């Protein structure tokens, strides 16, 4: 049976999973949280296996264990989805995140994966293409004094936000002269007294 502290871990994982999937860039790694949740899930699964091996034939007990296993499967899904979302960004923007100023966003395992992935891609290009073209054209350099070809996440992309505490919504006029097809929403915090007086 989960303890209150365990429920807090699952809630933190849910928030990290949701944020990672909605963010266009890689967020700081939650490796400690992932390890704790993995240990918790494995301990719970061992406990369920021991109960099944005890051949407890009471219907209520078997139903409770089936529900526990269902909940563990849900948690494992969130873990896998969280890690897949991060690896997808690492694969897509490998060189960008291996830069010294961005590498802190990666966990140790992700950093090792990114390095191996980059080496593998470079070897693939060399074997399949670069060795067949003139030597002066074989460079894989992506940053020069004239151009930067390193793929980067689109930091201007829209994101979805879950508002925890909302008071009033103010819809402002567009601040640009260019024609746009959306309104600009500014979420403003107001004092609790003002919120209460405006409730209908």
């Amino acid at each position: 049976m989960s303890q209150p502290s365990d429920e807090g871990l699952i809630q933190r994982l849910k928030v990290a999973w949701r944020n990672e999937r909605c963010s266009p860039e890689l967020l700081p790694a939650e490796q400690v949280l992932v390890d704790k949740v993995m240990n918790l899930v494995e301990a719970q699964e061992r406990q369920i296996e021991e109960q099944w091996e005890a051949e407890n034939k009471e219907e209520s007990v078997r139903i409770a264990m089936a529900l526990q296993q269902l909940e563990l499967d849900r948690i494992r899904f969130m873990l896998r989805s969280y890690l897949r979302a991060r690896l997808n960004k690492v694969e897509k923007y490998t060189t960008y995140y291996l830069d010294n100023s961005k590498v802190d966003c990666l966990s140790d395992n992700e950093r090792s994966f990114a390095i191996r992935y980059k080496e593998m891609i470079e070897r693939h290009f060399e074997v399949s293409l670069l060795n067949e073209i003139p030597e002066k054209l074989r460079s894989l350099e992506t940053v020069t004094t004239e151009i930067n070809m390193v793929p980067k996440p689109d930091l201007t992309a829209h994101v979805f936000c879950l508002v925890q505490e909302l008071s009033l919504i103010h819809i402002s006029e567009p601040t640009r002269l260019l024609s746009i097809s959306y309104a600009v929403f500014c979420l403003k915090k107001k004092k609790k007294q003002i919120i209460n007086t405006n409730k209908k």
Side-chain angles (χ1 to χ4, degrees):
M1 190 172 188
S2 0
Q3 302 296 324
S5 58
D6 298 341
E7 294 176 3
L9 287 176
I10 305 307
Q11 183 59 33
R12 285 174 54 197
L13 173 64
K14 184 177 180 180
V15 171
W17 166 60
R18 185 167 52 207
N19 290 345
E20 195 65 59
R21 292 194 64 195
C22 292
S23 171
E25 64 176 334
L26 198 64
L27 300 178
E30 294 278 3
Q31 192 58 46
V32 175
L33 173 62
V34 169
D35 292 340
K36 287 182 178 180
V37 173
M38 280 296 299
N39 292 336
L40 173 64
V41 170
E42 290 172 357
Q44 292 283 344
E45 287 182 336
R46 284 194 300 269
Q47 183 179 351
I48 292 176
E49 288 176 3
E50 291 172 359
Q51 290 177 340
W52 275 108
E53 291 172 358
E55 297 183 356
N56 192 326
K57 297 183 179 180
E58 290 185 20
E59 189 67 20
S60 60
V61 175
R62 289 187 174 273
I63 291 175
M65 287 191 293
L67 291 176
Q68 287 178 352
Q69 186 60 56
L70 187 63
E71 177 66 10
L72 292 176
D73 291 342
R74 185 182 72 87
I75 296 171
R76 278 195 176 275
F77 168 80
M78 282 196 296
L79 271 173
R80 293 190 184 107
S81 181
Y82 171 75
L83 295 175
R84 279 198 300 266
R86 291 185 61 81
L87 285 180
N88 181 57
K89 295 175 187 178
V90 172
E91 289 181 357
K92 195 171 182 180
Y93 309 113
T94 309
T95 304
Y96 175 78
Y97 285 118
L98 285 178
D99 181 84
N100 290 334
S101 61
K102 308 294 180 185
V103 75
D104 290 341
C105 292
L106 303 172
S107 67
D108 293 339
N109 290 336
E110 289 168 344
R111 189 181 300 110
S112 299
F113 170 81
I115 293 172
R116 292 196 303 269
Y117 181 78
K118 183 179 180 181
E119 292 173 351
M120 180 182 66
I121 293 298
E122 290 176 350
R123 285 198 302 269
H124 169 70
F125 281 141
E126 289 173 359
V127 172
S128 62
L129 175 64
L130 297 180
N131 291 339
E132 306 298 328
I133 63 177
E135 186 173 353
K136 64 180 181 180
L137 300 176
R138 294 180 186 177
S139 174
L140 288 175
E141 187 65 41
T142 53
V143 180
T144 66
T145 55
E146 299 176 353
I147 191 171
N148 184 344
M149 297 184 294
V150 176
K152 301 177 181 179
D154 183 7
L155 301 183
T156 63
H158 68 274
V159 295
F160 295 93
C161 301
L162 175 64
V163 180
Q164 301 284 1
E165 297 179 4
L166 179 62
S167 55
L168 302 176
I169 297 180
H170 169 69
I171 304 179
S172 65
E173 293 295 329
T175 56
R176 296 184 295 178
L177 297 178
L178 299 177
S179 59
I180 57 176
S181 58
Y182 58 87
V184 179
F185 291 89
C186 299
L187 303 182
K188 293 186 176 181
K189 290 186 176 180
K190 299 292 183 181
K191 292 183 179 179
K192 188 174 181 180
Q193 181 181 0
I194 299 177
I195 298 174
N196 292 335
T197 57
N198 283 276
K199 286 184 178 178
K200 299 295 183 182

